[in-house]
Amino acid sequence: MNKKVLIIGFVWPEPRSSAAGSRMMQLIETFQTQNYEITFASPCAKTDHAFNLKSIDVAQENIELNNSSFDDFVKALNPEIVLFDRFMMEEQFGWRVTENCPNAIKILDTEDLHSLRKGRQQAFKDGADFDKNYLFNDTAKREIASILRCDLTLIISQAEMDILKNDFKVDDALLLYLPFMLDDISKETIEKLPNFEDRTHFITIGNFLHEPNYNAVLYLKETIWPLIRKQLPKAELHIYGAYTSQKVNQLHNEKQGFFIKGFAKDVNSVMQQARVCLAPIRFGAGLKGKLIDAMQNGTPMVTSTVGAEGMFGDYEPNGFIEDDASCFANKAVQLYKNEWFWTEKQQYGFAVINNRFNSGKHQKVFLSRIKSIVENLFMHRQNNFMGQMLQHHSMQSTKFMSRWIEEKNKA
């Protein structure tokens, strides 16, 4: 009999729209290497960009919030592993999983630390330095509680691992550093990529439902791009991303060389046409998918400290990291004009992908950790008394609130 995994998704995976969608597909692929039977369930409505999971033999189920129909569904499925996509899904369904499938391993994939992103965004709005006062917010209380209730939490960035261990004092046994899991870039692939001379213009890309992305585009429009255009009057900036709204589209200005292009059907194609990628992200968390796309396609970049966080480790970045607008613009121009610099930074990017994000290495560590927890589940949970306590209290409060909402909905 096949082992079963239930993934409870905050949204249906959209690998062409967001880094979170790509991340989810990598997790599915990892489970499939071990012949797990996978069911993906979500209370969210599907969009046109949603990946057809049936095409890769993943069962799809629509589930409802605050509805005991989920209890029957999960009991019948009886999965060995339940993976929650973001802490909000663990809050909603975690207690039901515990009640109906007490021996199922509960794994949380944070995508990024929401509390870190929210704290940074608030500090940015306040024009203040980000510190623990901003980090220890209400979202953090919910997110850390969710981490403690789970058997294992997947953390995409080493910087976030450090925050969880040092600032929130989360036990290392509950955490696993698991970044993007990517295929190596071969010499043959590199040789086929367009060279410096064959590329023109600048690019930035990102899902516009994600506030840090919209803010970065606004920052480019108002501050950085005019500085670049002053030095490169014929250059263009091509801005791609899913879910462009009216406020995004109105930034389009051909005279300024500022082009809102909308959804990119093929990220690799548009990234390979561009000479330099710009990512002046001022707040956020996790790893930035746009920088991964840039490195995979041999497109050097200029980003911010927040953008680069957790990405490069001890390796040289595939470009420059600058927080000052003027320095950012100057480095972008330097990369755009200097082929020697450009080629050097491109090579650094390939090294980062092949050494830091090797799929085989990270898959092995992840699967080994699951095996260890399965074999020692009783002791693993005994050692996490805080998690047991939170499980007890949240099952009481969340359970009765959910039951009340369900009865109210019936009425």
Side-chain angles (χ1 to χ4, degrees):
M1 228 171 82
N2 279 356
K3 299 169 290 185
K4 293 176 185 174
V5 174
L6 169 63
I7 300 173
I8 303 178
F10 179 66
V11 293
W12 294 90
E14 297 183 13
R16 294 193 304 167
S17 303
S18 71
S22 300
R23 158 71 157 195
M24 181 52 70
M25 298 308 293
Q26 291 160 19
L27 291 171
I28 288 171
E29 189 183 309
T30 302
F31 285 121
Q32 286 183 326
T33 65
Q34 303 303 298
N35 299 316
Y36 277 98
E37 201 175 284
I38 303 169
T39 300
F40 192 100
S42 178
C44 184
K46 275 197 189 83
T47 71
D48 294 341
H49 300 314
F51 185 86
N52 177 16
L53 292 168
K54 284 182 182 172
S55 69
I56 56 167
D57 295 324
V58 173
Q60 302 178 121
E61 289 286 341
N62 289 98
I63 51 177
E64 285 186 58
L65 300 171
N66 304 305
N67 195 309
S68 52
S69 60
F70 178 84
D71 300 348
D72 300 328
F73 158 70
V74 78
K75 201 182 284 183
L77 185 67
N78 194 25
E80 277 80 8
I81 296 171
V82 178
L83 184 131
F84 302 100
D85 167 32
R86 289 164 253 212
F87 78 88
M88 298 80 90
M89 291 297 95
E90 188 280 332
E91 281 184 335
Q92 285 288 340
F93 297 102
W95 66 271
R96 292 184 185 274
V97 170
T98 297
E99 200 168 70
N100 293 285
C101 304
N103 294 321
I105 306 297
K106 295 195 297 181
I107 300 175
L108 172 64
D109 185 36
T110 53
E111 296 292 354
D112 61 35
L113 276 186
H114 289 56
S115 47
L116 178 61
R117 174 152 43 93
K118 289 222 168 155
R120 280 181 175 158
Q121 188 167 349
Q122 192 56 53
F124 176 79
K125 280 181 182 173
D126 294 346
D129 290 334
F130 174 75
D131 58 20
K132 281 190 182 180
N133 292 323
Y134 284 104
L135 179 62
F136 293 173
N137 51 47
D138 285 347
T139 300
K141 289 163 192 165
R142 292 170 57 196
E143 192 165 32
I144 301 303
S146 183
I147 288 170
L148 291 171
R149 285 192 296 264
C150 287
D151 297 305
L152 184 65
T153 294
L154 310 178
I155 306 298
I156 205 164
S157 161
Q158 282 176 328
E160 293 178 6
M161 283 288 282
D162 292 342
I163 288 168
L164 287 169
K165 287 195 270 191
N166 300 329
D167 295 324
F168 291 111
K169 312 300 180 193
V170 177
D171 189 339
D172 202 28
L174 300 176
L175 305 172
L176 178 67
Y177 168 58
L178 192 72
F180 291 125
M181 295 175 279
L182 308 170
D183 294 335
D184 277 5
I185 304 170
S186 67
K187 282 184 180 176
E188 293 75 32
T189 300
I190 292 168
E191 283 164 9
K192 287 176 188 169
L193 291 171
N195 61 26
F196 178 85
E197 289 295 337
D198 294 335
R199 298 171 181 243
T200 52
H201 306 312
F202 293 84
I203 189 172
T204 192
I205 193 164
N207 182 329
F208 286 108
L209 292 179
H210 195 54
E211 189 61 32
N213 289 335
Y214 172 69
N215 180 273
V217 170
L218 206 58
Y219 186 35
L220 282 165
K221 168 82 174 181
E222 293 171 353
T223 309
I224 294 172
W225 185 243
L227 297 172
I228 293 173
R229 273 283 277 202
K230 202 176 279 185
Q231 297 183 65
L232 299 169
K234 290 183 180 176
E236 296 174 6
L237 174 56
H238 297 173
I239 296 127
Y240 291 91
Y243 304 106
T244 47
S245 60
Q246 191 181 343
K247 71 175 183 178
V248 175
N249 285 324
Q250 69 189 16
L251 299 175
H252 181 91
N253 188 319
E254 291 188 23
K255 281 185 180 173
Q256 295 171 357
F258 202 87
F259 293 83
I260 303 292
K261 296 281 194 174
F263 180 68
K265 286 184 180 174
D266 183 359
V267 173
N268 298 324
S269 171
V270 296
M271 194 60 86
Q272 285 174 26
Q273 289 166 22
R275 191 176 286 178
V276 176
C277 175
L278 304 177
I281 297 153
R282 292 190 282 185
F283 53 87
L287 295 179
K288 310 303 176 287
K290 56 181 73 57
L291 299 190
I292 293 288
D293 292 332
M295 287 189 281
Q296 286 179 315
N297 290 290
T299 311
M301 62 81 215
V302 189
T303 190
S304 59
T305 305
V306 170
E309 183 181 74
M311 187 64 76
F312 303 108
D314 295 330
Y315 290 86
E316 288 287 336
N318 65 318
F320 297 103
I321 301 163
E322 294 289 351
D323 293 321
D324 174 77
S326 179
C327 293
F328 190 104
N330 289 338
K331 292 295 188 190
V333 171
Q334 191 179 7
L335 261 184
Y336 195 82
K337 290 168 74 173
N338 188 316
E339 185 174 356
W340 185 87
F341 251 138
W342 186 92
T343 306
E344 180 189 55
K345 299 298 183 186
Q346 184 191 57
Q347 293 302 316
Y348 290 155
F350 299 142
V352 170
I353 295 288
N354 291 349
N355 290 289
R356 274 182 69 75
F357 301 106
N358 178 278
S359 61
K361 181 178 76 176
H362 291 296
Q363 282 180 349
K364 194 175 175 183
V365 171
F366 178 35
L367 294 167
S368 168
R369 192 69 172 275
I370 290 173
K371 185 171 181 283
S372 172
I373 291 171
V374 168
E375 290 171 355
N376 304 285
L377 185 59
F378 179 76
M379 279 309 297
H380 183 76
R381 287 179 175 171
Q382 281 286 85
N383 291 336
N384 179 22
F385 183 76
M386 289 293 282
Q388 289 185 51
M389 182 178 71
L390 286 164
Q391 188 72 59
H392 171 79
H393 286 291
S394 71
M395 272 183 78
Q396 303 310 312
S397 56
T398 318
K399 176 178 178 176
F400 290 109
M401 173 59 82
S402 186
R403 297 274 192 240
W404 180 79
I405 293 169
E406 187 175 0
E407 290 305 313
K408 187 167 168 281
N409 289 343
K410 282 178 189 172

